[in-house]
C-alpha cells in the first residue's frame, strides 16, 4: 500500500464533508469558511509511542485519544469544534492497525462533528500530531488568565481514574477493555458541551491533562492569584476508591493526569446563572475551593494543611508522561 492508497482508504474516504469545507483532503491545502463574527481557535497535541501511549493499548484507543485530547483543549477555550488535520509518522504498520486507528479517530470525530481536512503522512517512528480548529464568538474565548481572588473553583467529573490506568500501563500491566477505570484513560470524553456553556460564565478555564494539582497551578499562575482548596470536597470515583483506597484515590485525583476534565473559576456575580445552567449537565460539577490573593495554593483538610500526598504532587511530574 503506498501513501496515496493509505490516505484514500483510511482517511479521505471516511472523512465525510462538512458544508463549510470548500476544499479538503486531496488538494495542496484545505480551504474552510470561518463563520462570520467568530474567532478561530487553534490547538495541537502530539502523541509519541512510549511517551504517551504503549503497544499494549488497543489501537482504536490511540486513534480516539489523538483527537480527544485536542477536543479537550478546544473545550477549555470554550470553542466549538470545526476541523482538524492529522500528521502521521508511521513505521511499517499493517492495514489492521490503520483500520483500528481510523475507527477510533472517526468515533471521536463523529461525536464532536469535527471534520478531517488534511494532514501529512511520512515513514518514521510512530508519532501522531493532530491540530484542531474551533470557533468562538469574536472576543469571547476562555483563557487561563482571567481568574481574580475570591472566585469559586470548580471541576467537572471525578479526576484520578485515568492516572491510575496510565500507571498500570506504564508499569507494563495490561488493561482490561471492560474495566471502566481503564476506559477513562483509553477513551477520554472531552467536555465540549460544558466548555461552550462555561464561555458565558467562567472567568478562566484549563483542561486537566497533567493532573489537577499541576494544571490548577498553571491557571492560577496565568491569573496571578493563589487558592485555597478543600481536599475533602474533591469528588472521588467510587470505583477507584474501591480499587485503591480513599487515600490513594485522593492522591490520584490531585496528581494523576490524563483526566481531560475541566477546571474553571466563577465569580460571585456569575454563580447563580452558572449553577442554573449546570442543571442539565450529564457530568458532575463540584466546587473544590476558591481563589485567593497572593500566589500560594493551600490544600486543606479540616482546616489543616494536607500533607499526606506521598511526596507532594510536584514529585509526580516526572511520573506521568502527558506533558
Ligand atoms: P503534498 O505532497 O502536496 O504535500 P500530500 O501527498 O502530502 O500532498 O497529501 C495529499 C493530500 O492528502 C493533502 O490534501 C493532505 O492534506 C492529505 N493528507 C496527507 N496525509 C494525510 C493524513 N494522514 N490524514 C488526512 N489527510 C492527509
Ligand atoms: Mg504535503
Amino acid at each position: 500500500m503506498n501513501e496515496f492508497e493509505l490516505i484514500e482508504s483510511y482517511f479521505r474516504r471516511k472523512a465525510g464533508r462538512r458544508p463549510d469545507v470548500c476544499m479538503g483532503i486531496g488538494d495542496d491545502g484545505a480551504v474552510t469558511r470561518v463563520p462570520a463574527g467568530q474567532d478561530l481557535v487553534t490547538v495541537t497535541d502530539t502523541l509519541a509511542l512510549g511517551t504517551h501511549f504503549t503497544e499494549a493499548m488497543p489501537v482504536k484507543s490511540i486513534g480516539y485519544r489523538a483527537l480527544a485530547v485536542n477536543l479537550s483543549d478546544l473545550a477549555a477555550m470554550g470553542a466549538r469544534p470545526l476541523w482538524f488535520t492529522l500528521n502521521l509518522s508511521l513505521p511499517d504498520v499493517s492495514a489492521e492497525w490503520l483500520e483500528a486507528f481510523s475507527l477510533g479517530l472517526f468515533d471521536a470525530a463523529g461525536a464532536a462533528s469535527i471534520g478531517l481536512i488534511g494532514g501529512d503522512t511520512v515513514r518514521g517512528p510512530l508519532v501522531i500530531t493532530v491540530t484542531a480548529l474551533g470557533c468562538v464568538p469574536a472576543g469571547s474565548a476562555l483563557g487561563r488568565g482571567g481568574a481574580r481572588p475570591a472566585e469559586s473553583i470548580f471541576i467537572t467529573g471525578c479526576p484520578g481514574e485515568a492516572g491510575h490506568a496510565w500507571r498500570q500501563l506504564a508499569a507494563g500491566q495490561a488493561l482490561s477493555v471492560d474495566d471502566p477505570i481503564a476506559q477513562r484513560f483509553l477513551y477520554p470524553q472531552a467536555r465540549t458541551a460544558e466548555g461552550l456553556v462555561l464561555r458565558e460564565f467562567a472567568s478562566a478555564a484549563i483542561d486537566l491533562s497533567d493532573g489537577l494539582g499541576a494544571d490548577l497551578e498553571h491557571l492560577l499562575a496565568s491569573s496571578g492569584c493563589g487558592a485555597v482548596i478543600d481536599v475533602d470536597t474533591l469528588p472521588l470515583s467510587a470505583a477507584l476508591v474501591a480499587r485503591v483506597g480513599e487515600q490513594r484515590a485522593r492522591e490520584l485525583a490531585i496528581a494523576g493526569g490524563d483526566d481531560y476534565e475541566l477546571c474553571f473559576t466563577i465569580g460571585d456575580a456569575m454563580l447563580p446563572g452558572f449553577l442554573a445552567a449546570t442543571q442539565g449537565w450529564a457530568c458532575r460539577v463540584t466546587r473544590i475551593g476558591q481563589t485567593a490573593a497572593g500566589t500560594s495554593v493551600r490544600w486543606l483538610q479540616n482546616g489543616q494543611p494536607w500533607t499526606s500526598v506521598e511526596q507532594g504532587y510536584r514529585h509526580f511530574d516526572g511520573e506521568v508522561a502527558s506533558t
Side-chain angles (χ1 to χ4, degrees), residues 3-4 6-7 11-12 24-30 84-88 105 116-122:
E3 177 196 337
F4 302 101
L6 185 159
I7 295 166
F11 300 110
R12 198 197 64 78
I25 298 172
D27 274 273
D28 287 305
F84 71 105
T85 62
L86 173 67
N87 285 32
L88 284 176
L105 183 85
L116 178 63
I117 54 168
D120 205 11
T121 307
V122 301

Side-chain angles (χ1 to χ4, degrees), residues 79-93:
R80 184 160 61 85
L82 295 172
W83 315 296
F84 71 105
T85 62
L86 173 67
N87 285 32
L88 284 176
S89 166
L90 300 174
D92 257 331
V93 294

Side-chain angles (χ1 to χ4, degrees), residues 109-129:
S113 305
I114 189 169
L116 178 63
I117 54 168
D120 205 11
T121 307
V122 301
R123 194 169 290 267
L126 186 51
V127 180
I128 304 150
T129 300

Side-chain angles (χ1 to χ4, degrees), residues 124-140:
L126 186 51
V127 180
I128 304 150
T129 300
V130 167
T131 300
L133 300 137
C135 64
V136 294
S140 75

Side-chain angles (χ1 to χ4, degrees), residues 48-114:
L49 176 65
T51 309
H52 304 95
F53 59 93
T54 75
E55 265 157 356
M57 284 165 60
V59 176
K60 183 180 169 196
S61 80
I62 299 170
Y64 187 95
R65 290 184 93 256
L67 181 58
V69 300
N70 283 279
L71 292 172
S72 178
D73 282 327
L74 285 179
M77 303 294 294
R80 184 160 61 85
L82 295 172
W83 315 296
F84 71 105
T85 62
L86 173 67
N87 285 32
L88 284 176
S89 166
L90 300 174
D92 257 331
V93 294
S94 62
E96 194 189 356
W97 193 95
L98 284 160
E99 190 61 49
F101 176 87
S102 62
L103 190 66
L105 183 85
F106 287 114
D107 264 8
S113 305
I114 189 169

